[in-house]
Amino acid sequence: MTSAPLAARLSRVAGPLFFPVTAYGPDGSVDLDVFRAHVRTGVEAGAAAVFACCGTGEFHALTPEEFRLVVAAAVEETAGEVPVVAGAGYGTALAIRYARLAEEAGADGLLAMPPYLVVADQAGLLSHYAALAAATGLETIVYQRDNAVFTPETVVALAETPGVIGLKDGHGDLDLMQRIVSAVRTGLPGRDFLYFNGLPTAELTGLAYRGIGVTLYSSAVFAFAPDIALAFYRALDSGDDDLAGALLDHFYRPLVELRAKGRGYAVSLVKAAVRLGGLDVGEVRTPLTEPPAAHVEELAGIIARGRALLEKYGQERRG
């Protein structure tokens, strides 16, 4: 855990947020050495924060004991260079258990994922996240998606909840997000509440989210191609429309189209890409399945095209 508050550190990031995959060995058990190498590569590449054991990290597939070990490994490997945020989910009691394990492991904060399976009303969701935020001293980001979609009024109440510092949006309704941002801004003047674009390939909607003031985003691409992810981040941040547009057209859009070809590809395709990069992080755990060879070959081609674009634009600017 680092000494500075998580909200303050995330307010001044200079790169994408890194969601590492969880590495498994040949026998299917967690491989902490490979996971550490994966985290170290991301931090050295310029990650602004490490979100361990979240969606890309197969939170759903980890036992509490494995979860604690993986979060602790991320904390030790980052050594305070960047904050570590851990996932917490399921029903309220289990979410609190995972939150306390994350705190014991030294995490800086929590990403509170939707409750398991049930579709609750707004009052129930608010009670759930309030209880989770109160259970530890960790600052909490609430993840909006699937069965946890909030009204603007509920987000105002979340922003008033001690310990809740932000909202990650994986729902993708920009009209709703604009109304949420507006409601918090007018209802809680001066409140520095954080917003994150948390869609599976957030770069594809980066320009749209920036239009409503949401600049923080999670990058699945950073897990396997940090050079491409950082180049896009910097192009977007500096207004380099030529490079950003080329990457959107020839890398990110094809990647999203490939991702749409299989269920669970938001995780399994990322893991396959990490393996393509030379780090054997193992396969996904069931119920997820691996992409077929043809899709992995297509993925390799997309990554190669992305890197070719970086080389092309780099040469043009050097020349």
Side-chain angles (χ1 to χ4, degrees), residues 2-308:
T2 54
S3 57
L6 178 64
R9 299 191 75 185
L10 291 179
S11 295
R12 53 179 187 268
V13 302
L17 307 176
F18 175 30
F19 285 65
V21 302
T22 298
Y24 305 125
D27 63 353
S29 63
V30 170
D31 190 327
L32 292 176
D33 289 338
V34 173
F35 175 75
R36 287 174 184 275
H38 183 41
V39 169
R40 172 49 45 191
T41 297
V43 171
E44 290 177 349
V50 173
F51 284 67
C53 301
C54 296
T56 309
E58 296 179 80
F59 171 79
H60 71 277
L62 299 172
T63 67
E65 294 76 18
E66 290 173 328
F67 171 87
R68 190 188 187 287
L69 288 171
V70 173
V71 174
V75 170
E76 291 167 7
E77 198 60 40
T78 57
E81 292 178 53
V82 298
V84 174
V85 179
Y90 302 121
T92 306
L94 265 180
I96 287 173
R97 181 182 179 192
Y98 278 96
R100 288 174 175 162
L101 289 171
E103 187 173 42
E104 290 171 11
D108 295 281
L110 300 172
L111 178 63
M113 291 179 283
Y116 174 71
L117 200 60
V118 297
V119 178
D121 61 20
Q122 296 291 296
L125 289 170
L126 184 57
S127 295
H128 169 78
Y129 292 110
L132 178 57
T136 72
L138 300 180
E139 292 170 293
T140 300
I141 300 161
V142 175
Y143 195 178
Q144 169 169 266
R145 58 174 294 170
D146 300 322
N147 58 325
V149 176
F150 309 106
T151 65
E153 294 76 18
T154 298
V155 178
V156 171
L158 284 169
E160 291 180 303
T161 302
V164 176
I165 64 167
L167 178 75
K168 179 184 178 183
D169 180 49
H171 181 54
D173 183 337
L174 283 172
D175 175 87
L176 174 60
M177 277 302 296
Q178 178 65 83
R179 289 186 287 116
I180 285 171
V181 171
S182 176
V184 174
R185 185 169 58 230
T186 56
L188 301 172
R191 172 71 165 98
D192 292 325
F193 198 61
L194 301 177
Y195 300 98
F196 305 77
N197 175 357
L199 291 174
T201 304
E203 287 91 344
L204 203 65
T205 54
L207 286 168
Y209 273 82
R210 280 180 173 250
I212 60 172
V214 178
T215 58
L216 293 165
Y217 65 88
S218 54
S219 175
V221 170
F222 191 90
F224 62 85
D227 52 341
I228 298 174
L230 275 169
F232 180 82
Y233 178 91
R234 290 166 180 161
L236 201 64
D237 204 44
S238 66
D240 186 347
D241 295 339
D242 289 341
L243 178 55
L247 287 171
L248 285 172
D249 292 345
H250 303 292
F251 174 77
Y252 284 105
R253 180 172 60 83
L255 179 65
V256 168
E257 290 170 349
L258 176 59
R259 193 191 69 217
K261 292 181 180 181
R263 290 192 176 274
Y265 272 19
V267 179
S268 61
L269 207 64
V270 172
K271 211 160 193 183
V274 176
R275 294 196 302 270
L276 283 172
L279 186 64
D280 188 0
V281 291
E283 298 185 348
V284 290
R285 283 180 171 175
T286 56
L288 297 181
T289 56
E290 288 295 309
H295 286 176
V296 175
E297 184 178 352
E298 187 177 347
L299 174 63
I302 292 169
I303 296 170
R305 286 198 299 276
R307 293 203 163 115

